[in-house]
Amino acid sequence: MPARSDAARSDVARDADAALTALYSEHYRSLVRLAALLLDDIGLCEEVVQDAYIRVHGAWGRLQDRDKALAYLRQTVVNLARSTLRRRLVALKHAPKPMPDAASAEEGAYSLVERAAVIQALRELPRRQREAVVLRYYADMSEADAAAVMGCSVGSVKAYTSRGLSALSGKLEGLR
């Protein structure tokens, strides 16, 4: 195919500009509605239609029947919408999987409130009860190990722990 002269190219560009401006003013909304039936985001629909106009403008010189420019434009909108959906599906398929145990921000905030309340309730316990509860449940020590650290008998650790948990339960009743 012989190369076109600059004048011929500018005539084709002017012709394309005029024809596409007319098509735009008459059919833009219907093309956006067509895209909206295929996609779920209005902004994306408008983007697809605008891209379709740009592609048709670029291919204007290759159109066999310029009276069918609207049909070509519609088909371009459908093809671009399909491509958009295909890209979205590929992105979703390869998106990183969220951690199953990830807590929401709300749960994290509530957890901080609970933790602060537990710490405050622990501070209000008598020293020996606090030591027994902390050694048994936070340090994860056995009753014998906690008794050795506290310098008392295993029975005393059991009693301090029982009384401490009972007192904590009463103090934290409002959080449940």
Side-chain angles (χ1 to χ4, degrees), residues 74-85:
R74 281 189 188 117
Q75 189 61 50
T76 304
V77 167
V78 170
N79 289 342
L80 289 172
R82 285 180 186 156
S83 294
T84 300
L85 289 173

Side-chain angles (χ1 to χ4, degrees), residues 83-97:
S83 294
T84 300
L85 289 173
R86 198 174 306 117
R87 275 192 306 276
R88 186 184 301 169
L89 287 174
V90 168
L92 285 173
K93 183 179 176 183
H94 297 292
K97 306 271 187 284

